[in-house]
DNA sequence: GGCGTTGGTTAACGGTGTTAATTATTAAGT
DNA sequence: ACTTAATAATTAACACCGTTAACCAACGCC
């Protein structure tokens, strides 16, 4: 009925979903609302997505791909391992702050949505871990870090960051605390916790 | 129809809810299922709870109270600040591992449920932070820790722990990694990340 | 013309939270 | 013992949800 017959309905659905999901959360997110927002019948969503889950997972995958790209960019920069880890942390934080809708969709997901996330796409989820693991291994090789199991450390690193941003974005942060200061100190703590020998001796 | 007419229906509802919620997640949790499980009509739930949210929040509050109690116990023990922080961390982890159902209900909650959590009950949520903050302040006073803003550090501490357990319990942990080893190392990192003075010099 | 393919529709099914009206059961008062 | 009030539970209904099936309209192609 519009000028063009199908001016990227799929994209329209994704945009409306992104907005609705971040605004009203998973609980109040419904296909029928999405359909209403884009001015189309509810069942039309099924022309582009197999299910509500498929739609949500598409949204998640978008963000994962974007974030992975950003991390990869940082990863190939010629940086000292410690600075690289720091840069990775800030890149992650930047994504969360710059695209809160997208990040929230990811981090609001909770166990439920994650459990239903298709297994064959978990490769991408792991990609972030791989990048961090490589940076840590590099640090270990150069004698800057004393981590016996870089893979575990990578998980710890990621988990801590996730926890930090989870607190920041869910209003659980005491409002007497400045957000940026909190983030800076948190990242500082996380990096400092990685047994950085030279940093201590050099200071 | 049973022997006793109402043998703690409220408690039965809570038990069934705990189970269902942890097993099927928030997504597939429904009052009607709960009602069916306890063998009662769906609307009977409303005799004891104002809404689905109220039921869920009651469950959350239970766990928060329990955990706060455990943390308080640790807190009044006569321990050196560093050991106290470590003990608090392990208490938190123990709760998560010993009562995974309850912990999952809390940590699966995500932003949505948390946003709807009644404001006047957030005092209790903060209690955990207060306990950690006190421990850190004690460490600072005794010259054991070098933290300029204990409150921020407390939030960091908590956030990191949350992140770690979030990874552990949501199967996002690579299965080549031993769970306990991961947890130990993570806590080690977290504590070590707190600029610990004597620990470095004494070692 | 006829034909299938694409992009969309409406109708319907079983399930959901929640409310209103209704019935059974218990406790109290006199 | 009989009435009254409160309590505990029920059934019926509403509006919404994800999903499926059946249908319809426009287009390209022969």
């Amino acid at each position: 009925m519009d000028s063009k017959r199908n001016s990227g309905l799929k994209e329209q659905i994704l945009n409306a979903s992104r907005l609705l999901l971040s605004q009203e959360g998973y609980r109040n997110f419904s296909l029928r609302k999405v359909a209403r927002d884009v001015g189309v019948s509810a069942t039309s969503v099924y022309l582009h997505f197999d299910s509500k889950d498929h739609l949500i997972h598409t949204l998640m995958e978008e963000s994962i791909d974007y974030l992975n790209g950003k991390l990869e960019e940082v990863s190939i920069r010629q940086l000292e391992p410690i600075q690289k880890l720091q840069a990775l942390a800030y890149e992650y934080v930047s994504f969360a702050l710059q695209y809160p809708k997208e990040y929230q969709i990811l981090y609001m997901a909770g166990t439920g949505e994650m459990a239903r996330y298709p297994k064959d796409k978990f490769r991408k989820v792991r990609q972030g871990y791989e990048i961090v693991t490589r940076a840590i291994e590099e640090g270990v090789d150069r004698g800057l870090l004393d981590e016996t199991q870089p893979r575990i450390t990578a998980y710890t690193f990621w988990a801590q960051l996730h926890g930090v941003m989870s607190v920041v974005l869910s209003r659980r942060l005491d409002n007497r605390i400045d957000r940026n200061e909190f983030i800076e100190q948190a990242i500082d703590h996380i990096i400092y916790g990685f047994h950085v020998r030279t940093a201590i001796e050099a200071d």
Side-chain angles (χ1 to χ4, degrees), chain A:
Chain A
M1 201 52 66
D2 285 354
S3 54
K4 272 198 290 180
R5 188 165 143 78
N6 168 16
S7 62
L9 178 60
K10 184 168 183 177
E11 211 56 42
Q12 281 181 259
I13 291 175
L14 284 173
N15 289 336
S17 298
R18 229 184 323 260
L19 193 61
L20 234 87
L21 207 42
S22 64
Q23 275 178 348
E24 312 202 26
Y26 280 92
R27 178 75 172 278
N28 294 103
F29 175 75
S30 90
L31 293 185
R32 292 174 128 105
K33 277 183 196 164
V34 172
R36 203 178 308 140
D37 280 9
V38 310
V40 88
S41 189
T43 52
S44 288
V45 176
Y46 288 86
L47 296 174
H48 297 281
F49 303 95
D50 297 339
S51 64
K52 186 182 185 180
D53 273 345
H54 184 210
L55 169 56
I56 291 172
H57 292 153
T58 304
L59 241 31
M60 293 171 77
E61 196 181 1
E62 270 187 9
S63 296
I64 290 169
D65 284 347
Y66 176 84
L67 181 55
N68 280 343
K70 285 291 188 182
L71 294 176
E72 196 64 57
E73 273 179 32
V74 171
S75 155
I76 60 178
R77 254 190 266 156
Q78 286 289 94
L79 286 172
E80 290 298 302
I82 303 298
Q83 270 96 41
K84 185 172 282 185
L85 284 174
Q86 204 159 28
L88 286 169
Y90 275 103
E91 197 63 47
Y92 179 85
V93 168
S94 291
F95 169 69
L97 294 178
Q98 196 179 350
Y99 301 102
K101 284 201 298 287
E102 283 78 358
Y103 182 77
Q104 279 188 49
I105 289 171
L106 275 186
Y107 105 91
M108 276 193 323
T111 335
E113 320 295 333
M114 267 310 184
R116 286 193 302 276
Y117 199 73
K119 282 181 196 153
D120 56 303
K121 287 186 176 168
F122 250 82
R123 192 180 42 81
K124 284 182 179 173
V125 176
R126 285 225 186 90
Q127 198 176 321
Y129 290 91
E130 298 300 333
I131 292 172
V132 174
T133 303
R134 287 204 308 267
I136 291 171
E137 280 170 348
E138 204 183 325
V140 172
D141 288 350
R142 292 219 216 149
L144 299 171
L145 295 179
D146 184 23
E147 298 292 339
T148 50
Q149 280 136 307
R151 195 179 305 275
I152 298 186
T153 309
Y155 270 94
T156 310
F157 178 80
W158 226 230
Q160 287 172 332
L161 266 183
H162 167 69
V164 168
M165 293 316 293
S166 159
V167 166
V168 169
L169 287 181
S170 62
R171 305 153 193 257
R172 275 184 293 219
L173 187 60
D174 198 312
N175 50 18
R176 282 167 293 186
I177 296 178
D178 178 71
R179 199 180 68 175
N180 289 331
E181 196 178 353
F182 174 66
I183 291 174
E184 272 179 39
Q185 191 173 120
I187 292 182
D188 201 49
H189 271 153
I190 293 172
I191 303 278
Y192 191 91
F194 286 169
H195 299 204
V196 186
R197 291 269 159 96
T198 50
I200 293 172
E201 293 166 1
D203 245 24

